[in-house]
Amino acid sequence: MGAAGDQRGIRRKYRARRIHSDLDPRPGQFTVETMKRNSAVFAAFLLLASFAACNAGGLGEQSRSAEAPATQSDRGGKSRGEDPRPVIAALGDSLTAGSGVDPSESYPAKIQRKIDEAGLKYRVVNAGVSGDTSAQGLNRLPAIRRLAPAVVIVALGGNDGLRGIPVETTRRNLDRIVTALRSDGALVILGGMRMPPNYGPQYTASFHNMYLELAKEHDIPLIPFLLEGVGGVPRLNQSDGIHPTAEGYDIVAATVWKVLRPVLE
């Protein structure tokens, strides 16, 4: 089956099997009690926010060129010309790029192994760039679209929040990314992030609800929180308290796989 056939099959399966998650409250139900229940998660982001105040790069100290996304050939795999499998592109920042760990330990690389073990015929492209905001991700979109991906995991916005960029600006950028990719026939999975409570209840709630609302408006699968089960757990994070260790990325990959696998099968 060609890439177009794979995309049509994915869309049919998704429509028949909506993905729901009980990990997060529904829009409008994000309360102080909810924030307290997630205190361990937010503790990690307090460290992250402090780090960001000293480092304009936010989620990632070093940024590589954004002219083109990283490909499997960059990561030790085959180039697109040698590999006809439909592409799953992971568009994000340093949490996607795998800052601080070997490329083989990033969550996209671990997802590729899960795909291979499941006997599915897809090729994962790691298009994460350290320090990227939603605007920079939008600027890189033409390179992603040239891959003609069947599926795109969009995990952007964390750096926007840490820099205090208005939620409406981030939302507009993410909306444009999702709209463009869907117009190409790609299935988009949105990866959510959260901000620490010291950013204020209004901003924190608006930021959190932004992902819920975008997923609902576009009728696309949502990963409520990319770092679920990892944020705030010291042994699962590197010494910066921000980026997951290889073990932490095992959990991130499992979180992504829980949403991704049903739409591939």
Side-chain angles (χ1 to χ4, degrees):
M1 182 182 296
D6 284 296
Q7 292 174 17
R8 288 194 296 271
I10 289 170
R11 289 195 295 273
R12 285 197 298 270
K13 291 172 185 174
Y14 173 62
R15 283 194 296 268
R17 188 187 334 193
R18 290 295 307 276
I19 297 172
H20 300 282
S21 172
D22 58 1
L23 294 175
D24 289 312
R26 297 175 182 174
Q29 293 181 326
F30 191 73
T31 65
V32 172
E33 288 71 22
T34 303
M35 292 164 64
K36 289 179 179 178
R37 286 197 298 271
N38 289 284
S39 59
V41 173
F42 287 125
F45 280 97
L46 288 173
L47 290 174
L48 191 152
S50 298
F51 178 82
C54 299
N55 178 11
L59 286 170
E61 295 178 317
Q62 298 178 347
S63 298
R64 62 175 173 78
S65 172
E67 293 180 357
T71 66
Q72 278 298 95
S73 58
D74 296 329
R75 309 287 177 162
K78 296 180 179 180
S79 67
R80 185 168 186 255
E82 300 170 340
D83 192 335
R85 292 176 296 175
V87 168
I88 298 173
L91 175 61
D93 49 39
S94 61
L95 296 176
T96 296
S99 179
V101 300
D102 186 88
S104 65
E105 299 294 347
S106 67
Y107 96 71
K110 292 175 185 286
I111 289 294
Q112 181 68 71
R113 291 197 285 276
K114 290 179 181 293
I115 286 173
D116 295 343
E117 291 167 1
L120 300 172
K121 303 301 182 182
Y122 291 91
R123 177 172 66 94
V124 179
V125 172
N126 187 336
V129 171
S130 293
D132 256 16
T133 61
S134 61
Q136 290 166 318
L138 179 61
N139 289 339
R140 290 197 292 122
L141 195 57
I144 304 298
R145 298 177 77 178
R146 284 195 293 271
L147 296 171
V151 180
V152 183
I153 303 166
V154 179
L156 288 164
N159 285 315
D160 297 54
L162 295 175
R163 298 175 189 181
I165 293 174
V167 172
E168 188 53 43
T169 298
T170 303
R171 180 193 176 101
R172 184 166 56 249
N173 291 334
L174 291 175
D175 180 74
R176 290 177 65 186
I177 290 171
V178 172
T179 298
L181 291 170
R182 294 190 73 210
S183 73
D184 292 341
L187 173 69
V188 179
I189 295 175
L190 188 62
M193 291 297 294
R194 295 176 185 169
M195 286 295 105
N198 64 316
Y199 276 68
Q202 182 175 356
Y203 185 85
T204 302
S206 296
F207 187 88
H208 172 82
N209 287 334
M210 170 183 68
Y211 294 99
L212 300 172
E213 293 164 0
L214 281 169
K216 182 177 180 180
E217 289 172 10
H218 288 280
D219 192 26
I220 59 176
L222 172 69
I223 302 166
F225 183 34
L226 190 68
L227 297 179
E228 186 69 41
V230 177
V233 183
R235 68 180 179 82
L236 297 176
N237 288 276
Q238 299 174 44
S239 59
D240 61 11
I242 303 168
H243 298 93
T245 61
E247 183 182 359
Y249 273 118
D250 285 338
I251 298 174
V252 175
T255 298
V256 174
W257 187 235
K258 181 179 179 181
V259 177
L260 175 62
R261 180 169 185 168
V263 305
L264 300 181
E265 294 183 328

